[in-house]
Amino acid sequence: MIIAIATTGDTLDSPCDPRFGRAGNFLLIDSDTEEIIDTIKNPNIASGGGAGISTSQMLANRGVNAVIAGAVGPNSFGVLDAAQIAMYSSAGFSTAKDAYSAFKSGELKRISNPGSAGRFH
Amino acid sequence: MIVSVASGKGGTGKTTVAVSLAISAAPIALVDSDVEEPNANILLRADHSTSRKASLPFPVIDMKKCDFCEKCSDFCAYNGIVVLKGLKVFAVPEICKSCGGCKIVCPQDAISEEPRDIGYIKFGERLGIQIVEGELNIGESSSTPLVRMLPDYFPSGRDVIVDCPPGAAHPTVESLRAADFVLLVTEPTPFGIHDLEEALVITDELNKKVGLVVNRADIGTSDIENLAIERNIPILMRIPFSTDIAEHYSRGHSPAEFSEYWREQFALLWQKIEEQVR
Ligand code: SF4
Ligand code: SF4
């Protein structure tokens, strides 16, 4: 399985990024080998509306199976859900490593509802 | 002549002024472009004779033709269309602006458009007023497209009064575009003045003739009067915070429908607007 963790930096010791669509970076971890297979600098940080959609599409097309982020907005939620990507909340965990170990031991909460709404005008 | 009635914010009595003016100036058309919360007809109480759906073209994808090239999603500046490789491609109603671009760039000719309903346009008539009301479906994120459609339904051969959405954002700008004259309804409070100044930024930019109606003119500050002199904007009407008019408000009545006095006052206001436009 490929897990994408939203972080503000680019290592496992980096803090979790509470944002999803405009998260600074994503660490892609292969949960079978426990290896970081990629570090993606999110190109959508500065994008206007719909950043979450674009970020979701990017991760889906990288073959990601699960994302770990602070909260997921309604648009991102819709796309991740359509792509059958599971969503987990990193809220309460300080580093990517902490959140990842919690994920491995089944302690991370599934995000089953979109959080903070983003409205576009 | 098209007169748009606007205010920097809600709750200044804008709709009451628009409906009262229409009653005094009838026969006339009244267009409610506050599509997120149309309430002119709460005052006018016309039965809707007809209504029609308002819709926008929305991309639908033929997955038999699509090869997941991502040209559509690369093109869309709004991120309104999603390509999930091997799975599906779909446009997102809340985000898509119906620009038609993805359909043009798709090399496989996989994208066509279908109408997507965003609301209604309703028609009715009472007291010699033809009312045209836009009503946005709940859950729609943007009212601008519907507001932009309304001028196509302005009845011909009649003057038109437009009840604009409150605020100074996109939908308000759109509802002012067609106006020959903009009537700004304001209150003599610091907030009122601040909102008025924001509204004036728009009317200046659109190069519109403007006049003021000061509501609750007998309370608050005289700063509005000073601003009007400074900016050379005529104050066309002052409505005192009288118990008489407050009673009409509280009953959900237009003062012009039930009071001879107010009917005359609003007829006078209409006359002054006509003089300003001439
Ligand atoms: S541009 Fe056309 S073919 Fe390419 S992904 Fe979009 S819909 Fe499919
Ligand atoms: S119609 Fe325009 S806004 Fe809508 S998805 Fe296509 S390119 Fe984006």
Side-chain angles (χ1 to χ4, degrees), chain B residues 61 65-73 81 83 89 102 105-111:
Chain B
I61 294 87
K65 292 184 181 168
C66 171
D67 65 359
F68 302 104
C69 71
E70 290 190 280
K71 289 237 164 68
C72 53
S73 63
I81 189 161
V83 179
V89 177
C102 53
V105 300
C106 174
Q108 303 299 327
D109 201 16
I111 302 180

Side-chain angles (χ1 to χ4, degrees), chain B residues 59 72 75-78 80-81 91 95-103 113:
Chain B
C72 53
F75 170 81
C76 182
Y78 308 104
I81 189 161
I95 310 255
C96 167
K97 306 272 189 221
S98 296
C99 75
C102 53
K103 177 176 181 255
E113 288 172 336

Side-chain angles (χ1 to χ4, degrees), chain B residues 186-188 212-217 224-225 235 237-239:
Chain B
T186 183
E187 285 177 348
L212 293 185
V213 170
V214 182
N215 204 3
R216 304 186 183 109
I224 287 267
E225 308 273 337
I235 297 183
M237 188 181 200
R238 291 177 179 81
I239 305 175

Side-chain angles (χ1 to χ4, degrees), chain A residues 50-83:
Chain A
I53 292 191
S54 193
T55 303
S56 304
Q57 168 172 329
M58 171 185 78
L59 295 177
N61 292 339
R62 292 281 193 115
V64 166
N65 306 100
V67 299
I68 300 174
V72 174
N75 295 315
S76 312
F77 188 92
V79 178
L80 292 171
D81 200 47

Side-chain angles (χ1 to χ4, degrees), chain B residues 28-160:
Chain B
I28 201 161
L30 175 66
V31 175
D32 196 340
S33 70
D34 184 3
V35 301
E36 285 183 38
E37 223 170 311
N39 52 17
N41 200 39
I42 295 175
L43 293 175
L44 185 62
R45 303 188 307 284
D47 290 326
H48 290 121
S49 49
T50 47
S51 81
R52 52 160 306 173
K53 281 182 178 164
S55 58
L56 289 175
F58 185 68
V60 281
I61 294 87
D62 181 351
M63 294 314 301
K64 285 198 284 297
K65 292 184 181 168
C66 171
D67 65 359
F68 302 104
C69 71
E70 290 190 280
K71 289 237 164 68
C72 53
S73 63
D74 285 347
F75 170 81
C76 182
Y78 308 104
N79 298 316
I81 189 161
V82 186
V83 179
L84 299 175
K85 287 200 166 159
L87 207 57
K88 59 179 147 186
V89 177
F90 59 96
V92 184
E94 291 80 16
I95 310 255
C96 167
K97 306 272 189 221
S98 296
C99 75
C102 53
K103 177 176 181 255
I104 295 170
V105 300
C106 174
Q108 303 299 327
D109 201 16
I111 302 180
S112 56
E113 288 172 336
E114 277 178 10
R116 185 179 73 80
D117 294 338
I118 58 165
Y120 288 90
I121 299 169
K122 299 176 175 175
F123 306 87
E125 175 141 18
R126 187 172 168 260
L127 304 174
I129 300 168
Q130 258 180 288
I131 185 164
V132 178
E133 255 184 305
E135 189 179 322
L136 193 70
N137 286 346
I138 290 168
E140 280 301 321
S141 57
S142 173
S143 55
T144 306
L146 181 53
V147 173
R148 207 180 276 151
M149 284 176 208
L150 289 173
D152 292 343
Y153 299 95
F154 286 4
S156 56
R158 284 197 187 191
D159 289 333
V160 178

